[in-house]
Amino acid sequence: MLLSDSSPGSVQAVGPLSPLACDPAQTRGRRFAEAAAPTRNAYQRDRDRIVHSTAFRRLVYKTQVFLNHEGDLFRTRLTHSLEVAQLGRSIARALGLNEDLVEAIALAHDLGHTPFGHAGQDALNECMREHGGFEHNLQSLRVVDQLEERYPAFDGLNLSFETREGVLKHCSRANAEHLERAEPGGVGRRFIDRTQPSLEAQLCNLADAIAYNAHDIDDGVRSGLISIEQLLQVELFAHYHRQTLDEYPDLSEKPRRLLYETIRRMLSDQVYDVIDTTRQAVAQAGVRTLVEARLAGPLVAFSAGMKTRSSELQKFLFAQLYRHPQVMHTTVQAQQVVRELFAAYVSQPAEMPADFAANANLHRSVPDYIAGMTDRFALREHERLTGRKLL
Ligand code: MG
């Protein structure tokens, strides 16, 4: 006999769209006017444009934590983005927020990442120190606004304001003022006015953290760089590990299943925590419209307890995994690749494709070109230009 899932606990069934949700019919629109699509709303169309973009396909060969060639089962930027979209949509559905918008933001949120993850970003930022720096978040916006070349009448993907707003999750004051000059009242404005983005955008930020905290445990253990014994010092992990073993003592013989069940429970509880805490925050703030919500403080959040437990895990991963000597060793080499590519293209622009080489502002075209590279393309280019093979 086949059984259906039994009824859920505290999380209620899907209701109507919340009055705080972004409504595609009320979008602030695209930078270049386009006729509405006959079968899709504005956010569905944004999501589809992102999925078909070149930058999106490149995410499969971009590092999340482990380099692409270090193993077939580690997360890449692509699978990370899909996990963020999954978690984000689940939460959005429960809160009556716009799932399509959440999906579009989640799939686009890491499009501006350099090859080699944070190591690549730090190196490129260093190379660009005298020229305004490099920030992957701002670069994600550049990718969707300018760098994708797919449409006859405009650069970029011409996405809706709400999707672009969600992609730009942080921004310095200086960068915000720069954006504001180019697009008055646009996506940079909220960083000047210190207002909040849509609830869908707030949600994607949290879904990003929930996703990487969980999958980095899995990848960290798989790589052998962190052990279950170490993880048992982290309350969020230890609690669900203990709970799982109490319920299924046999899993002590099946460490992978035990790990997956522990992570699964951690994920579920964080999701339910966000849903419950956000409902309470919305009720407490008494906001009734999206305009009011933007003026309130952040509304999509963890409870205080979950926030503490989640930051403890984040700190653990930072110290034990991201700063692990083996990861640091690749980091140092990855940074060298990026620095040497940067120096090579600045001194010999003709080594870049013609449209990048032709740009009079090399401190714009070189970081754009490097940031767009996949890990393995960057390594091949580095070898071609320097004759040395790293990593
Ligand atoms: Mg991310």
Side-chain angles (χ1 to χ4, degrees):
M1 188 174 106
L2 295 174
L3 299 172
S4 59
D5 292 3
S6 48
S7 58
S10 69
V11 178
Q12 293 154 25
V14 185
L17 213 58
S18 157
L20 306 182
C22 285
D23 176 357
Q26 304 290 324
T27 173
R28 282 178 58 183
R30 305 176 190 278
R31 294 194 303 160
F32 303 94
E34 292 186 72
T39 58
R40 296 169 296 166
N41 71 41
Y43 305 145
Q44 292 167 343
R45 198 181 198 186
D46 286 352
R47 176 213 41 218
D48 296 349
R49 289 181 175 194
I50 292 157
V51 168
H52 288 278
S53 71
T54 307
F56 184 72
R57 282 194 302 288
R58 286 181 176 146
L59 294 179
V60 74
Y61 293 114
K62 286 192 173 197
T63 291
Q64 182 68 26
V65 173
F66 293 94
L67 298 191
N68 195 267
H69 61 257
E70 292 183 300
D72 289 351
L73 290 177
F74 295 127
R75 266 65 176 190
T76 66
R77 286 272 162 214
L78 182 66
T79 56
H80 161 71
S81 301
L82 294 173
E83 290 183 31
V84 177
Q86 180 276 315
L87 289 166
R89 287 181 52 183
S90 276
I91 300 171
R93 202 175 309 133
L95 290 172
L97 298 177
N98 194 300
E99 247 183 277
D100 298 317
L101 176 58
V102 165
E103 189 178 17
I105 296 170
L107 294 179
H109 86 283
D110 272 350
L111 289 179
H113 261 287
T114 61
F116 315 122
H118 283 279
Q121 128 104 22
D122 292 347
L124 203 49
N125 187 30
E126 181 69 27
C127 295
M128 286 289 290
R129 206 177 34 189
E130 309 282 299
H131 307 275
F134 177 89
E135 210 280 305
H136 67 83
N137 213 228
L138 208 54
Q139 191 69 9
S140 296
L141 186 69
R142 262 183 80 68
V143 169
V144 299
D145 278 358
Q146 292 174 54
L147 298 177
E148 281 288 320
E149 297 184 304
R150 308 191 73 85
Y151 295 93
F154 47 77
D155 289 339
L157 302 177
N158 198 28
L159 302 180
S160 310
F161 174 87
E162 294 76 15
T163 303
R164 298 174 56 237
E165 166 191 62
V167 167
L168 190 65
K169 58 181 175 181
H170 357 262
C171 186
S172 67
R173 176 85 191 199
N175 286 332
E177 282 168 359
H178 189 76
L179 287 170
E180 178 67 14
R181 280 193 293 277
E183 184 192 4
V187 289
R189 188 56 176 264
R190 74 178 167 95
F191 298 96
I192 297 167
D193 294 349
R194 299 180 173 278
T195 55
Q196 299 300 315
S198 70
L199 270 66
E200 285 84 354
Q202 296 181 35
L203 167 51
C204 284
N205 265 339
L206 215 50
D208 189 18
I210 297 174
Y212 64 67
N213 278 336
H215 66 50
D216 289 350
I217 291 180
D218 183 16
D219 285 357
V221 171
R222 181 184 301 284
S223 68
L225 299 188
I226 52 176
S227 67
I228 301 291
E229 289 62 40
Q230 282 176 301
L231 278 162
L232 289 176
Q233 299 157 16
V234 180
E235 193 194 334
L236 189 61
F237 184 88
H239 173 78
Y240 299 107
H241 190 267
R242 206 162 44 233
Q243 192 189 64
T244 305
L245 267 182
D246 284 351
E247 228 173 293
Y248 299 98
D250 293 354
L251 286 189
S252 58
E253 306 294 316
K254 295 175 178 164
R256 289 227 63 90
R257 284 201 201 201
L258 175 56
L259 177 64
Y260 290 144
E261 181 61 16
T262 303
I263 294 175
R264 195 184 68 76
R265 287 175 186 223
M266 260 179 58
L267 278 173
S268 297
D269 262 17
Q270 289 177 87
V271 164
Y272 302 149
D273 184 271
V274 173
I275 294 168
D276 290 342
T277 309
T278 303
R279 281 187 181 141
Q280 286 167 26
V282 166
Q284 244 165 42
V287 291
R288 290 200 183 79
T289 64
L290 177 53
V291 174
E292 288 172 6
R294 286 177 183 279
L295 297 172
L299 294 170
V300 183
F302 279 139
S303 64
M306 187 60 87
K307 194 175 174 191
T308 306
R309 292 192 291 279
S310 158
S311 347
E312 187 201 358
L313 170 59
Q314 214 154 352
K315 281 183 200 129
F316 168 85
L317 288 169
F318 189 85
Q320 304 301 326
L321 183 62
Y322 313 146
R323 288 285 176 265
H324 189 284
Q326 210 169 308
V327 173
M328 288 308 289
H329 178 70
T330 29
T331 295
V332 169
Q333 293 197 52
Q335 291 182 338
Q336 191 184 342
V337 170
V338 168
R339 273 198 308 273
E340 292 180 357
L341 280 177
F342 190 90
Y345 294 132
V346 168
S347 61
Q348 311 155 70
E351 295 294 344
M352 293 189 294
D355 45 340
F356 287 93
N359 191 326
N361 183 2
L362 283 178
H363 288 102
R364 189 62 269 171
S365 63
V366 172
D368 281 345
Y369 185 48
I370 294 176
M373 292 178 178
T374 61
D375 294 2
R376 54 190 199 165
F377 182 76
L379 290 175
R380 279 205 302 271
E381 273 294 280
H382 179 265
E383 193 180 354
R384 181 179 75 80
L385 292 165
T386 66
R388 278 173 297 117
K389 198 174 178 135
L390 288 180
L391 291 164

